[in-house]
C-alpha cells in the first residue's frame, strides 16, 4: 500500500492506495501555519482509525497546490511511513507530453487528474475538478496535455458575491428545485449550479469542435455530483480521479 497526500487550498486529502483500489480516504482542513510535529500528530491519530500500519506501507506520493505546506507534510509522511514521498511534477514520467507554456508552473493536482484520465478514459478527454477553483484539463488523442481553463469555484464565487454586495446572503450550493429562481436564495443557487453546468458543457462543446473528435468529459471534486445532473451532455463522474492519477504516477515512477 502507498500513502497518497493531496494538499489543496481548502482540504488535505489522504488516501491508502493498493494497486487500483483505494483502501481508505479521508480529509482534514488545510491549516497553513501547522508545523511538521502538528501534522504528524494529526495524521497519526486519523490513520489509526483505518488500521494503518507502517509495516504495510511500501511508499508515498505527495501532490500539493500549497507550496508552503509541501515540506511540513512531506516530513510528517517520512516520520509515519519511513519513506520520502514522491513529489508530483511535470518532469515525472506521466505518460503525457506537455504542449503548454511553462509546464513547471502547472498545478500538481492538474497533472494528477490528467495522468489518471489519460490512463483510464478514452481520448481525447477533458477533465474538470470542481473545487476551490474549477480547473479544466484537455488531453489530445495522442496524449498531449494541451492546456485548459481555470475559473473560480462554485462556493468561491458565491462567497465573493455575498461579501461584495449589501443584499445578497451567503448560501451553500445545493440541487436546485427549478431552473428559474423565485427568490434571492433560489436565484443565487440556480445561477451558481446551472451556470457552472452550462459553462462546463459549453466549454466541452467548443473543445470538441476545435479538436474535431468526440470528447470524453470526466468531472471530479466535491461539487461534481450536484452539477452533472444539470448538464445536457454526457459527463462521467469519478470522485477518485486524483487519487487514481497519483496511483498511476507512482507506478510509473516507483523509486527503485
Amino acid at each position: 500500500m502507498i500513502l497518497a497526500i493531496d494538499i489543496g487550498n481548502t482540504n488535505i486529502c489522504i488516501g491508502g492506495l493498493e494497486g487500483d483500489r483505494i483502501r481508505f480516504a479521508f480529509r482534514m482542513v488545510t491549516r497553513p501555519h501547522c508545523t511538521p510535529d502538528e501534522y504528524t500528530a494529526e495524521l497519526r491519530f486519523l490513520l489509526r482509525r483505518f488500521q494503518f500500519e507502517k509495516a504495510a506501507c511500501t511508499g508515498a506520493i505527495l501532490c500539493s497546490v500549497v507550496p508552503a505546506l509541501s515540506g511540513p507534510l512531506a516530513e510528517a509522511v517520512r516520520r509515519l511511513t519511513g519513506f520520502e514521498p514522491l513529489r508530483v511534477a511535470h518532469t515525472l514520467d506521466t505518460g503525457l507530453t506537455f504542449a503548454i507554456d511553462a509546464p513547471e508552473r502547472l498545478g500538481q493536482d492538474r497533472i494528477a487528474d490528467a495522468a489518471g484520465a489519460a490512463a483510464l478514459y478514452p481520448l481525447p478527454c477533458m477533465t474538470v475538478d470542481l473545487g476551490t477553483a474549477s480547473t479544466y484539463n484537455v488531453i489530445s488523442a495522442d496524449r498531449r496535455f494541451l492546456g485548459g481553463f481555470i475559473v473560480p469555484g462554485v462556493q468561491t464565487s458565491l462567497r465573493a458575491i455575498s461579501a461584495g454586495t449589501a443584499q445578497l446572503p451567503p448560501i451553500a450550493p445545493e440541487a436546485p428545485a427549478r431552473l428559474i429562481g423565485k427568490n434571492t436564495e433560489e436565484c443565487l443557487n440556480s445561477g451558481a449550479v446551472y451556470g457552472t453546468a452550462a459553462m462546463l458543457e459549453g466549454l466541452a462543446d467548443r473543445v470538441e469542435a476545435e479538436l474535431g473528435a468526440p470528447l470524453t468529459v470526466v468531472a471530479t471534486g466535491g461539487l461534481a455530483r450536484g452539477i452533472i445532473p444539470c448538464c445536457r451532455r454526457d459527463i462521467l463522474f469519478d470522485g477518485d480521479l486524483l487519487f487514481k492519477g497519483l496511483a498511476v504516477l507512482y507506478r510509473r515512477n516507483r523509486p527503485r
Side-chain angles (χ1 to χ4, degrees), residues 23 56 158-159 184 198 200 220:
R23 179 176 155 190
L158 286 171
R159 283 195 296 267
T184 300
L200 196 167
T220 190

Side-chain angles (χ1 to χ4, degrees), residues 6-7 9 63-65 88-90 94 96 98-118 125-130 133-139 145-151 220 241-242 245-246 249:
D6 169 36
I7 306 172
N9 291 294
C63 169
S64 175
V65 297
V88 174
H90 78 285
T94 62
L96 303 167
F98 292 90
I100 59 172
D101 301 333
E104 68 277 4
R105 297 178 61 187
L106 181 63
Q108 295 177 18
D109 57 337
R110 295 180 66 191
I111 295 172
D113 280 344
C125 178
M126 184 177 83
T127 70
V128 55
D129 194 334
L130 296 165
S134 295
T135 54
Y136 295 75
N137 301 319
V138 181
I139 305 108
F145 184 98
L146 299 177
F149 318 96
I150 302 175
V151 296
T220 190
L241 179 63
L242 192 141
L246 292 180
L249 291 172

Side-chain angles (χ1 to χ4, degrees), residues 173-198:
E174 58 185 27
R178 49 183 162 250
L179 173 62
I180 301 173
K182 301 298 184 182
N183 54 60
T184 300
E185 288 78 8
E186 282 190 359
C187 288
L188 283 169
N189 185 64
S190 191
V193 174
Y194 277 106
T196 300

Side-chain angles (χ1 to χ4, degrees), residues 214-246:
L215 183 72
T216 305
V217 183
V218 184
T220 190
L223 295 174
R225 284 188 185 274
I227 301 296
I228 290 174
C230 299
C231 294
R232 293 180 295 185
R233 67 173 287 155
D234 289 336
I235 312 289
L236 303 176
F237 172 73
D238 190 338
D240 296 319
L241 179 63
L242 192 141
F243 277 147
K244 291 175 182 177
L246 292 180

Side-chain angles (χ1 to χ4, degrees), residues 24 35-36 42 57 81 95 117 125-126 156 159 192 196 205 233 247 254:
F24 64 79
T35 65
E42 185 171 4
C57 186
T81 68
C125 178
M126 184 177 83
T156 303
R159 283 195 296 267
T196 300
D205 289 346
R233 67 173 287 155
R254 183 181 294 113

